[in-house]
Amino acid sequence: MAKKALGSGCSNNEDVIKEMVKQRYNDAVSSKAPKSCCDSNVCCGSDNEIYSIMTEDYSRLKGYMPEADLGFGCGLPTRYAGIKPGNTVIDLGSGAGNDCFVALAETTESGYVIGVDFAPEMIAKAKRNAKKLGAKNIEFRQGDIENMPVDSNTADVVISNCVLNLLPKKDRIFHEINRVLKPEGHFCVSDIVLKGELPLALRNAVAMYAGCIAGAVQKDDYINEISKAGFKDVKVVKENKIILPDAMLSKYLDSKNLKEFKNGKSTVLSITVTGIKAKN
């Protein structure tokens, strides 16, 4: 049997997945959007469910702006990114600007931050937040991070927080990260991975995909793709087990399958990974 391509854990067409994710995040900042997963006509059905796995506390970090923190992350990549004054930093899936503003405080006025997001409502929200802060040396670009609107050899540091897992072509994304980094530049990414297989019902649930879980790939495959994209010194600097609540799992699994899943060897993990672009 042929090995599945990285990121093919969900049966949905790649374009459909990307459009669904884009719509979900557009809706998240829309004044008409429900305060939950997404519009019921897009992906969540009548329950409009959302499952937050964010456990990190940004509130004490310099540069933190509550209006920019929508709670969609699964880690705190800026803590391990080694951002220095004067660095150019790119944040992939920048959302309302949360990690960008923290990164900007670390790179100071001598540095520069570029946020990239493919949801236009998120870009608009981030620009409004930047204006409120009076932030300089920062910009937000709408675009697909599988084909970034950024020149090669631009960044000293690339960060991302629970975004790469949402998109199908994770191997393509890491090659793009490599392209936009300067030689010996580095990345720090927080994301969701698996050990063992998710039950089919969870892998096929679009609400779970938008919630970062159904699109997760195996941890070893994830790390291998990073190395194949041309990075060295790849390290998992933090790893947490994600506990999926029974109330959520029971929407997709009957009692027997729920028990088997909880007693099995499948584990959902939040990891933060770093790596350095190897010299050509």
Side-chain angles (χ1 to χ4, degrees), residues 43-74:
C43 67
C44 293
S46 59
D47 290 329
N48 280 332
E49 61 231 321
I50 186 170
Y51 306 109
S52 175
I53 54 177
M54 180 64 183
T55 58
E56 301 288 356
D57 181 12
Y58 275 79
S59 62
R60 297 183 180 181
L61 297 180
K62 187 177 180 180
Y64 176 72
M65 182 184 189
E67 297 96 317
D69 185 1
L70 302 180
F72 291 143
C74 58

Side-chain angles (χ1 to χ4, degrees), residues 212-231:
C212 298
I213 302 299
V217 299
Q218 297 299 311
K219 177 184 174 182
D220 288 346
D221 291 342
Y222 192 94
I223 301 301
N224 287 340
E225 287 297 335
I226 296 174
S227 297
K228 286 165 59 178
F231 291 99

Side-chain angles (χ1 to χ4, degrees), residues 266-279:
S266 298
T267 304
V268 182
L269 300 170
S270 166
I271 61 171
T272 298
V273 188
T274 62
I276 301 171
K277 178 177 179 175
K279 291 183 178 179

Side-chain angles (χ1 to χ4, degrees), residues 54-268:
M54 180 64 183
T55 58
E56 301 288 356
D57 181 12
Y58 275 79
S59 62
R60 297 183 180 181
L61 297 180
K62 187 177 180 180
Y64 176 72
M65 182 184 189
E67 297 96 317
D69 185 1
L70 302 180
F72 291 143
C74 58
L76 212 171
T78 53
R79 178 177 292 170
Y80 305 95
I83 299 170
K84 298 177 181 179
N87 280 168
T88 296
V89 182
I90 298 175
D91 179 22
L92 304 181
S94 50
N98 190 30
D99 286 291
C100 286
F101 299 134
V102 174
L104 185 64
E106 295 186 4
T107 193
T108 72
E109 293 182 358
S110 62
Y112 199 81
V113 175
I114 302 170
V116 179
D117 202 289
F118 70 172
E121 293 290 343
M122 281 292 184
I123 292 292
K125 174 75 169 177
K127 289 181 177 179
R128 292 194 297 271
N129 286 336
K131 186 175 181 179
K132 286 181 182 179
L133 286 174
K136 300 179 180 178
N137 298 342
I138 189 169
E139 65 173 298
F140 295 94
R141 302 179 185 179
Q142 184 181 347
D144 191 335
I145 61 177
E146 292 176 359
N147 187 22
M148 285 185 229
V150 179
D151 291 338
S152 299
N153 304 314
T154 293
D156 299 288
V157 185
V158 171
I159 60 174
S160 185
N161 194 349
C162 206
V163 173
L164 308 191
N165 183 71
L166 295 171
L167 300 177
K169 296 180 180 178
K170 297 170 183 62
D171 52 347
R172 171 66 181 170
I173 295 169
F174 282 113
H175 279 87
E176 276 290 275
I177 292 174
N178 187 285
R179 179 184 67 79
V180 302
L181 279 170
K182 298 174 183 177
E184 295 293 302
H186 63 277
F187 74 85
C188 185
V189 169
S190 295
D191 220 338
I192 301 299
V193 296
L194 300 176
K195 282 187 176 180
E197 292 289 336
L198 284 178
L200 182 62
L202 295 185
R203 297 202 306 269
N204 287 343
V206 288
M208 292 291 290
Y209 202 103
C212 298
I213 302 299
V217 299
Q218 297 299 311
K219 177 184 174 182
D220 288 346
D221 291 342
Y222 192 94
I223 301 301
N224 287 340
E225 287 297 335
I226 296 174
S227 297
K228 286 165 59 178
F231 291 99
K232 63 181 182 179
D233 298 333
V234 178
K235 299 175 182 177
V236 177
V237 295
K238 187 171 183 179
E239 179 175 305
N240 290 325
K241 183 177 180 180
I242 301 299
I243 305 299
L244 303 179
D246 287 358
M248 178 269 292
L249 291 172
S250 63
K251 295 179 181 293
Y252 307 102
L253 303 175
D254 60 27
S255 58
K256 178 182 177 182
N257 288 326
L258 175 60
K259 183 177 180 180
E260 289 179 353
F261 174 65
K262 295 188 68 175
N263 293 335
K265 298 180 180 179
S266 298
T267 304
V268 182

